[in-house]
């Protein structure tokens, strides 16, 4: 039995778990690239900073699940599915930015100091673009690979 047939014959729940793992890896790679662009070494981060970084992929996956991103079947993904994914990514990025601004203001209010982020704007931008690209690429590649025939993809 080929890998493609194993994937196609697996249950919907297993397929969702595979997509979740793929998205987790994509988001984690985006964070790693953001840290690299920002010249941050993981060894130099405190435990609190590492916890702050590690919540991001988990919360984003929960957000995507709640937003219904994982309800579509990859083999039959269409523009509506990709648009829902795009909406979820954009809304999550905006919520993350708002959350960061609120956190900075609370930090400034209670500690009367300036909040200094260890991820630069360029790093943040590269991270968002990387994880967005990888998430969309994974859907398109899976759609192409799992379709029964190449003629199904033609209009």
């Amino acid at each position: 039995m080929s890998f493609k047939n194993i994937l196609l014959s697996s249950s919907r729940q297993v397929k969702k778990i595979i997509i979740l793992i793929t998205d987790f890896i994509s988001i984690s790679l985006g964070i790693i690239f953001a840290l690299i662009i920002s010249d941050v070494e993981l060894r130099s981060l405190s435990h609190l900073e590492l916890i702050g970084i590690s919540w991001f992929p988990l919360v984003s996956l929960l957000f995507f699940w709640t937003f219904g991103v994982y309800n579509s079947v990859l083999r039959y993904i269409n523009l509506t599915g990709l648009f829902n994914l795009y909406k979820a990514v954009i809304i999550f990025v905006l919520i993350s930015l708002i959350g960061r601004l609120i956190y900075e203001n609370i930090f400034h209010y209670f500690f009367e100091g300036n909040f200094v982020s260890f991820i630069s704007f360029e790093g943040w931008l590269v991270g968002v673009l990387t994880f967005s690209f990888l998430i969309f690429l994974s859907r398109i590649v899976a759609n192409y690979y799992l379709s029964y025939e190449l003629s199904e993809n033609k209009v």
Side-chain angles (χ1 to χ4, degrees), residues 103-122:
Y103 180 74
E104 286 177 15
N105 287 327
I106 289 173
F107 184 88
H108 179 70
Y109 179 76
F110 284 112
F111 298 109
E112 296 182 10
N114 290 332
F115 175 78
V116 178
S117 175
F118 50 88
I119 297 180
S120 66
F121 176 75
E122 293 83 8

Side-chain angles (χ1 to χ4, degrees), residues 4-15:
K4 178 179 177 179
N5 290 335
I6 292 171
L7 284 176
L8 290 174
S9 65
S10 62
S11 70
R12 186 174 186 86
Q13 200 65 23
V14 169
K15 292 174 187 172

Side-chain angles (χ1 to χ4, degrees), residues 5-139:
N5 290 335
I6 292 171
L7 284 176
L8 290 174
S9 65
S10 62
S11 70
R12 186 174 186 86
Q13 200 65 23
V14 169
K15 292 174 187 172
K16 284 183 179 182
I17 291 170
I18 291 171
I19 298 168
L20 278 166
I21 291 169
T22 303
D23 288 353
F24 181 83
I25 292 169
S26 299
I27 295 166
S28 298
L29 283 173
I31 291 171
I32 290 170
F33 287 152
L35 292 170
I36 290 171
I37 293 295
S38 301
D39 291 328
V40 175
E41 292 184 28
L42 287 178
R43 294 180 190 144
S44 66
L45 298 176
S46 69
H47 293 302
L48 188 60
E49 290 169 332
L50 287 173
I51 291 171
I53 291 173
S54 63
W55 72 266
F56 193 79
L58 299 174
V59 170
S60 60
L61 292 179
L62 181 64
F63 181 82
F64 289 167
W65 186 280
T66 305
F67 211 80
V69 169
Y70 301 116
N71 291 339
S72 66
V73 178
L74 288 179
R75 187 172 59 183
Y76 302 111
I77 198 165
N78 55 16
L79 287 179
T80 304
L82 289 176
F83 182 71
N84 285 340
L85 179 62
Y86 175 75
K87 268 193 322 189
V89 168
I90 293 298
I91 290 172
F92 184 74
V93 167
L94 290 175
I95 288 173
S96 297
L97 280 174
I98 292 169
R100 179 180 168 160
L101 291 173
I102 291 170
Y103 180 74
E104 286 177 15
N105 287 327
I106 289 173
F107 184 88
H108 179 70
Y109 179 76
F110 284 112
F111 298 109
E112 296 182 10
N114 290 332
F115 175 78
V116 178
S117 175
F118 50 88
I119 297 180
S120 66
F121 176 75
E122 293 83 8
W124 183 85
L125 186 63
V126 166
V128 167
L129 291 175
T130 300
F131 96 78
S132 299
F133 174 75
L134 290 174
I135 286 175
F136 282 104
L137 183 67
S138 69
R139 300 311 195 274

